[in-house]
Amino acid sequence: MDINNEGQIVTEDVYLETIKLKTSVLFAAAAAGGAIVGGANPREVKAINEYAIELGLGFQMYDDYLGIAGDSSKTGKSVGNDIRKGKCTCMVTNTIANLKDPELLKEFKSILGNMNATDEQCARAKSIMESVGAIDYNLNLAKQKVENAIAKIQFLPESEEKEFMIALARYAIDRDV
């Protein structure tokens, strides 16, 4: 499996599995490891691991959003590079799944993965994504993943650590970098 899904069209399920392997498992290893070292019981370790998996998914989906619609002066990423690289994000899979106009689909696919695509062409691809609701869909799914993460740890006793974890999860989808 291409860890970046660059240059290939995949389903949303494959995309989610890819970002789980790319981002979430790293988050989970760090979080669960910290929980174990901190003396958490098995139920708490499991919940924190599940929290981190969901957080990683939401974080990566929002990161993909920033690559399409973020402010490059803040993110340090050239807006449109993910389009040029043909990175198959949730927004791309959703666009392809929901774009009914064959001419628009052809235009979208001709821009996706074109390393020579102009800024205007990348903006056009973004506009096509917006027209089918793919960007909003991605943001809503990222928010859902973060809410799922927070729900995983709700049973933990109130503490600074729990509040930090909740704040971190919310920051993951409310940032501009």
Side-chain angles (χ1 to χ4, degrees), residues 29 48 61 78:
I48 290 168
M61 293 177 79
S78 176

Side-chain angles (χ1 to χ4, degrees), residues 46-96:
K46 181 177 187 281
I48 290 168
N49 183 73
E50 291 171 352
Y51 154 89
I53 292 290
E54 293 291 322
L55 172 58
L57 293 171
F59 174 90
Q60 186 61 54
M61 293 177 79
Y62 194 80
D63 199 60
D64 290 344
Y65 161 77
L66 290 175
I68 298 293
D71 180 343
S72 62
S73 70
K74 293 180 181 179
T75 65
K77 297 179 177 187
S78 176
V79 173
N81 269 357
D82 286 353
I83 292 168
R84 287 183 186 98
K85 290 178 182 177
K87 188 174 178 188
C88 197
T89 64
C90 181
M91 292 168 285
V92 169
T93 63
N94 187 269
T95 299
I96 291 171

Side-chain angles (χ1 to χ4, degrees), residues 10-72:
V10 299
T11 65
E12 184 176 309
D13 287 342
V14 170
Y15 164 77
L16 289 171
E17 183 64 19
T18 300
I19 66 171
K20 181 179 177 184
L21 296 173
K22 177 182 174 188
T23 304
S24 291
V25 295
L26 179 61
F27 281 31
I36 291 167
V37 170
N41 66 46
R43 179 178 179 227
E44 293 166 337
V45 171
K46 181 177 187 281
I48 290 168
N49 183 73
E50 291 171 352
Y51 154 89
I53 292 290
E54 293 291 322
L55 172 58
L57 293 171
F59 174 90
Q60 186 61 54
M61 293 177 79
Y62 194 80
D63 199 60
D64 290 344
Y65 161 77
L66 290 175
I68 298 293
D71 180 343
S72 62

Side-chain angles (χ1 to χ4, degrees), residues 81-177:
N81 269 357
D82 286 353
I83 292 168
R84 287 183 186 98
K85 290 178 182 177
K87 188 174 178 188
C88 197
T89 64
C90 181
M91 292 168 285
V92 169
T93 63
N94 187 269
T95 299
I96 291 171
N98 292 298
L99 197 54
K100 303 303 179 207
D101 182 326
E103 289 303 313
L104 273 181
L105 182 59
K106 182 179 176 184
E107 179 184 5
F108 182 73
K109 285 182 173 181
S110 75
I111 299 168
L112 189 66
N114 177 356
M115 289 301 291
N116 296 315
T118 65
D119 288 345
E120 292 76 21
Q121 288 172 312
C122 290
R124 176 66 177 145
K126 177 185 170 198
S127 174
I128 293 169
M129 287 188 240
E130 288 171 334
S131 75
V132 297
I135 293 176
D136 287 341
Y137 175 81
N138 180 80
L139 288 174
N140 288 332
L141 191 54
K143 289 175 186 175
Q144 178 187 1
K145 296 298 181 187
V146 164
E147 290 306 316
N148 291 349
I150 293 168
K152 298 288 185 186
I153 60 168
Q154 282 303 332
F155 76 92
L156 296 175
E158 295 305 317
S159 66
E160 286 182 30
E161 293 81 4
K162 178 181 173 181
E163 290 308 311
F164 175 79
M165 291 171 66
I166 291 170
L168 178 64
R170 293 209 167 108
Y171 175 76
I173 56 167
D174 188 28
R175 59 192 168 94
D176 54 11
V177 294

